[in-house]
Amino acid sequence: MKLIFLAVFLFISLILNAQLPKTASVTPGSLGTTLTAIELNTVTNLTLTGTVDARDFKTLRDNMPV
């Protein structure tokens, strides 16, 4: 029983720590509207194409905790 519990715990830990990649094409100031609320809170590996400005850096700093 302990072995099954340990296996389930490890599996859940791996899922929760998995990297969630996202690639987005942005224009200056559009990052906050390009990503959904769920993506803002879960993406761990973000690749941006296009041009960013201070508003996009603010989104990264203030709205993307992961």
Side-chain angles (χ1 to χ4, degrees):
M1 184 68 173
K2 290 181 183 180
L3 185 60
I4 293 172
F5 177 75
L6 179 61
V8 169
F9 178 75
L10 289 174
F11 179 72
I12 291 172
S13 295
L14 288 173
I15 290 174
L16 293 176
N17 289 325
Q19 290 188 356
L20 297 174
K22 173 71 177 179
T23 300
S25 179
V26 294
T27 57
S30 69
L31 182 60
T33 58
T34 300
L35 301 177
T36 66
I38 293 172
E39 290 171 331
L40 286 170
N41 286 304
T42 58
V43 170
T44 57
N45 186 2
L46 180 62
T47 302
L48 298 176
T49 58
T51 306
V52 295
D53 67 7
R55 294 172 290 181
D56 300 311
F57 283 103
K58 184 179 183 315
T59 298
L60 291 168
R61 183 190 69 212
D62 298 341
N63 300 338
M64 298 186 77
V66 181

